[in-house]
Amino acid sequence: MQLRQLFLINLIVVLLCSLIVGFSWLVNRNALEGAGLSVFQAQGRAAFELIRAARHWNADTEGVYVPVSPEISPNPYLRLPDRDITDNHGRQLTRINPAYMTRQISEQLEGQDVALRITSLKPLNPTNAPDEWERSALTWMEQSGELERVELFEGRYRYMAGLNIVHSCLPCHEQMGYKIGDLRGGISFSRDAKRMDPLVNGMLERVDNMHLWVWAVLVVCASVLASLTFGFWQRLMGSESVQQRLRSLVETDYLTGVLSRRELMSRLEQEVERTQRFASPLALMMIDLDHFKQVNDRFGHAQGDRVLIAVAQALRHELRKVDSIGRYGGEEFTVILPNTDAGEASKLAERLLQRVRELELRTETGELLQVTISIGLVCNRDLSQIMTADSLLRSADQALYNAKHAGRNRFEQEQLPA
């Protein structure tokens, strides 16, 4: 049972440590990834400004002509009469507008660490159609009016900057319903998150390792502490159990199970003090087994012990929970009766006498024993009378002596001395 409890405690400790360290790990990773996003956003913004400056230069010069080659073919989406010309050397030249120039740059970056794309929700060139993230970013820009978005998406840092229609764009895009100021698309940059920034990635790796070590150390320390605390608690509970047993041995008569004389006297002192404070009635009985010495002499002390146990049980059966009964010594018992006047105490004494008379006790040989008791009773008839535990005991003892002298198997009542 204890091993199962210890296992459950350590399991809870492991779960709590995992929760705490996991939360810290998540917060730190998010912070570092946020820093990585900020770095990539700055890089993407700088690259976009360079591309935009080159595009503006291209537009301001109304495009540039370059030789046609296997890598650069005429732009089929640029429908201008002077798109293709031949120079003085007989070389065929084709006009490169800003969009086609951006497309050529993106192709030059293929296979590199950084990817660049020009895209639009309504592209002239189908190859410029947006991917999932680009479509989401462009849609968001149209709805929000923002012209920039950065995210970590599927292990890659993604940056998108919007392109608005300017006057130089109308020759190509006016036919699609665009007007000046409309968002016609954007330039998208992406980079593998693991290769984006060695510093950030190194810090992320250190955060992972550090939290793993912290978790392991915390689990070990917390488990050891929990186990030690559990062991201490078990010893403490065991110690309290021992103390309770010791207290029970001190407060209880080892043979009959009633109060010991020491505890009986302590209870009597408390009841006398309470009775004096609240002016309430109190009765005390001294009870002695008649001719008990003859039982011991004739049948042995073991039989005498059995008689004492039976009589104690019979007496306790007739008492209330608030009453106290203890073994005063030998075959003598004392009963404390709080809030009990002389009339009630007399009736109880009669019941106790009858109860003991009705006991059917037999010896080991089967011989029937007739057991009787004598009772000395004292009550505080005058509730304002000053009394002590000693005065009560002396008066009850005198009443018991009178009952013995009067023939036994009866009770006598004595008055408290004035």
Side-chain angles (χ1 to χ4, degrees):
M1 182 64 180
Q2 291 184 358
L3 288 176
R4 183 179 180 183
Q5 291 176 342
L6 185 60
F7 173 77
L8 290 175
I9 289 172
N10 280 280
L11 180 60
I12 293 172
V13 166
V14 171
L15 292 176
L16 286 176
C17 291
S18 300
L19 183 63
I20 294 170
V21 176
F23 179 76
S24 174
W25 172 81
L26 185 62
V27 169
N28 281 275
R29 278 198 68 93
N30 285 340
L32 287 174
E33 288 173 353
L37 277 176
S38 298
V39 170
F40 184 68
Q41 183 178 26
Q43 294 175 346
R45 191 175 294 161
F48 173 74
E49 292 300 330
L50 290 174
I51 295 294
R52 185 165 62 174
R55 288 169 59 87
H56 285 171
W57 170 80
N58 186 300
D60 290 343
T61 59
E62 298 183 353
V64 295
Y65 286 93
V66 299
V68 175
S69 67
E71 292 78 20
I72 302 176
S73 58
N75 183 359
Y77 304 99
L78 183 61
R79 297 181 176 88
L80 296 176
D82 58 348
R83 184 194 70 179
D84 300 314
I85 61 173
T86 302
D87 65 5
N88 295 332
H89 300 286
R91 293 180 305 174
Q92 185 180 359
L93 305 179
T94 186
R95 187 172 178 177
I96 302 296
N97 67 345
Y100 199 48
M101 181 186 69
T102 307
R103 176 72 184 177
Q104 292 297 315
I105 294 173
S106 69
E107 292 177 355
Q108 291 294 316
L109 289 174
E110 288 182 0
Q112 301 299 313
D113 188 27
V114 178
L116 177 150
R117 292 188 74 245
I118 183 170
T119 185
S120 172
L121 292 176
K122 296 186 291 184
L124 287 173
N125 185 351
T127 58
N128 293 336
D131 61 21
E132 178 185 353
W133 182 85
E134 292 167 340
R135 182 177 300 278
S136 173
L138 288 170
T139 302
W140 175 79
M141 288 180 183
E142 282 189 343
Q143 294 173 350
S144 65
E146 299 289 336
L147 291 176
E148 185 181 53
R149 185 166 182 173
V150 62
E151 279 185 294
L152 179 61
F153 181 76
E154 294 183 351
R156 293 185 69 84
Y157 286 109
R158 304 297 300 268
Y159 175 83
M160 169 78 77
L163 293 171
N164 289 330
I165 293 290
V166 295
H167 187 271
S168 60
C169 302
L170 291 178
C172 294
H173 295 281
E174 189 173 21
Q175 58 180 322
M176 302 185 69
Y178 286 113
K179 58 183 180 294
I180 293 177
D182 287 348
L183 180 70
R184 74 174 187 275
I187 296 178
S188 168
F189 298 90
S190 67
R191 191 175 187 184
D192 188 341
K194 293 182 179 179
R195 300 174 61 187
M196 197 282 295
D197 191 332
L199 177 61
V200 172
N201 291 324
M203 292 177 67
L204 285 172
E205 186 176 351
R206 285 194 292 273
V207 164
D208 294 343
N209 293 334
M210 180 187 70
H211 279 81
L212 181 60
W213 277 105
V214 168
W215 176 83
V217 172
L218 189 60
V219 165
V220 170
C221 293
S223 297
V224 170
L225 181 60
S227 300
L228 291 175
T229 304
F230 178 77
F232 174 77
W233 176 256
Q234 290 294 318
R235 291 190 183 92
L236 181 62
M237 294 300 292
S239 175
E240 289 182 354
S241 178
V242 170
Q243 290 177 7
Q244 290 175 356
R245 289 197 294 270
L246 290 174
R247 192 181 302 116
S248 177
L249 289 174
V250 172
E251 296 177 355
T252 306
D253 178 64
Y254 73 95
L255 178 64
T256 60
V258 299
L259 297 177
S260 65
R261 177 167 178 166
R262 176 178 178 179
E263 182 63 19
L264 181 71
M265 294 299 101
S266 175
R267 296 272 184 97
L268 181 58
E269 294 285 355
Q270 294 172 12
E271 289 298 335
V272 168
E273 182 182 354
R274 189 187 63 80
T275 297
Q276 298 282 269
R277 186 184 310 119
F278 298 107
S280 57
L282 176 67
L284 183 72
M285 291 181 179
M286 295 290 286
I287 302 173
D288 187 73
L289 274 69
D290 297 330
H291 305 296
F292 182 71
K293 185 176 182 303
Q294 296 178 12
V295 175
N296 280 334
D297 292 344
R298 183 178 175 185
F299 301 105
H301 288 280
Q303 182 63 51
D305 289 346
R306 286 192 288 272
V307 170
L308 285 174
I309 294 171
V311 170
Q313 291 176 349
L315 297 175
R316 290 174 66 179
H317 189 271
E318 294 294 329
L319 300 179
R320 304 166 300 177
K321 289 184 178 180
V322 296
D323 300 333
S324 300
I325 180 173
R327 188 179 179 189
Y328 194 73
E331 68 272 19
E332 201 167 16
F333 297 92
T334 301
V335 178
I336 305 170
L337 304 168
N339 295 311
T340 304
D341 58 25
E344 295 171 334
S346 298
K347 293 178 181 178
L348 175 61
E350 290 288 0
R351 293 201 305 272
L352 294 178
L353 290 168
Q354 185 62 29
R355 180 82 179 186
V356 174
R357 291 190 200 107
E358 294 174 352
L359 287 176
E360 293 187 1
L361 302 175
R362 295 185 180 275
T363 65
E364 293 180 348
T365 60
E367 183 178 346
L368 181 65
L369 290 177
Q370 183 64 47
V371 180
T372 61
I373 57 175
S374 298
I375 302 175
L377 172 64
V378 63
C379 301
N380 60 335
R381 295 178 181 272
D382 183 359
L383 301 183
S384 62
Q385 183 179 2
I386 301 299
M387 62 179 179
T388 64
D390 287 340
S391 65
L392 280 170
L393 287 169
R394 284 196 300 270
S395 298
D397 193 55
Q398 182 60 48
L400 176 61
Y401 174 80
N402 295 338
K404 292 282 189 180
H405 188 69
R408 297 182 173 85
N409 191 22
R410 58 183 293 125
F411 82 89
E412 293 290 339
Q413 189 169 343
E414 185 74 13
Q415 300 293 326
L416 278 172

